[in-house]
Amino acid sequence: MNNFNIFMSFVKLGLLASIGKRYSNFKIFFEDLKNKKLLNNKEYFVKVKKYIDSKQYNIDRLYFEVSNVCNAKCIFCAYKSISKNPHHKNGIMDFKIFKKAVNDAIDMNIKKISLTPTIGDPLVDPNIFEKIEYIKKNESIYGYFYTNGLFLNKNENYKKIVDSGINELDISTAGFDKKNWEKIFGVDAYKTHLLGLSNLLKYAKERKSNIKININLRTNLNPIRIFFQKDFKNYILPHLTTKVNFTYMYTYDNWGGAIQKHDLLSGMILRRAYTFKRIPCKRLFDASILFDGSVRLCACRAIETEFDDLVIGNIKKASLESIFYGEKAQKHKKKFFGWEIS
């Protein structure tokens, strides 16, 4: 297939329009914030403080750390440093803990559940499909997770994912060149990743599945250049459908200083650290269930370990609702306004 035909394939599938920064449809509680009218206004902070005090907000999405063990060593992720921390602990979430947390989430009318840990890969969990099956018993829940794709081929996991009923799957990749991919992902497993992704796309297409598949490019290369790589044309392009979306990471987080510019390849831009934040972090209104049942306010980043000061309780000792609206949680949320947490 020549370059023009490849380009036209993308145009027909509407994929080119999806390349670029992808912003989540994060449901914010004030239209003023959505319209960006109050970002520089003290009135906004007054409103949010009152909103926290009222406890009328709910968790937008609940994250589950089904596993905090990873099978890759990506240069843009803090897993390498966190996993070496003597105070950090690794584990797989027990199904009883998972079931309790999901039941509590249903009681709170939470509609989005992610099986994506802050660090680690969900497919390392040998019981991941039992957990997916449990959340999909409730049709109102939108379930999804991120993976590096290294275990897609293992035990034909790619088939199990498509057949599981999960709504959305995000797969990180560094492109379709072996040498470059292994520099970024830090493991000698490019072919395993490529075949797993190819088989997933092929099977989803054959099954005419409704699963939304996002291929997230984490690379130093221009995204358009990636679409002309030989392995892309041979293994990925033939299986694309309108259910497949591409995103491209322009800048990379420093994970509280764990990632430095020299850790990244030339062409990968380290995101500038904020010297001042105009608004509190949106993750104030999310929560993460860690593998041991601990409830943590942030599911986005960790510095030395996710078992830190943002842990506000444990699902084994209390309900998710009582923990999330409890005194410790409220205290942490209000710290954002005193700039004790940013």
Side-chain angles (χ1 to χ4, degrees), residues 234-247:
N234 292 337
Y235 290 91
I236 306 300
L237 184 62
H239 311 308
L240 295 180
T241 71
T242 54
K243 297 292 182 181
V244 181
N245 181 45
F246 287 84
T247 72

Side-chain angles (χ1 to χ4, degrees), residues 123 128-129 132 145 147 151-152 156-169 200 203 209 211:
L123 292 181
I128 184 65
F129 295 104
I132 293 174
F145 66 91
T147 177
F151 279 179
L152 286 174
E156 294 189 322
N157 282 338
Y158 65 90
K159 289 184 177 180
K160 296 175 185 177
I161 291 171
V162 172
D163 295 336
S164 70
I166 197 79
N167 300 91
E168 187 172 350
L169 178 67
L200 171 79
Y203 186 70
S209 172
I211 184 174

Side-chain angles (χ1 to χ4, degrees), residues 69-108:
V69 179
C70 195
N71 46 5
K73 299 175 182 177
C74 301
I75 61 175
F76 54 82
C77 179
Y79 176 76
K80 300 187 299 297
S81 60
I82 292 176
S83 61
K84 294 176 182 177
N85 185 343
H87 302 294
H88 180 70
K89 50 185 178 180
N90 294 328
I92 305 293
M93 182 177 287
D94 182 80
F95 186 74
K96 288 182 180 179
I97 293 174
F98 180 82
K99 185 177 178 181
K100 164 68 164 56
V102 170
N103 291 344
D104 282 2
I106 292 171
D107 290 342
M108 292 178 68

Side-chain angles (χ1 to χ4, degrees), residues 74-78 80 184-185 218 252-253 255 259 264 268:
C74 301
I75 61 175
F76 54 82
C77 179
K80 300 187 299 297
I184 294 174
F185 273 65
R218 308 289 188 253
Y252 294 82
D253 194 75
W255 287 77
I259 304 299
L264 306 176
M268 301 174 81

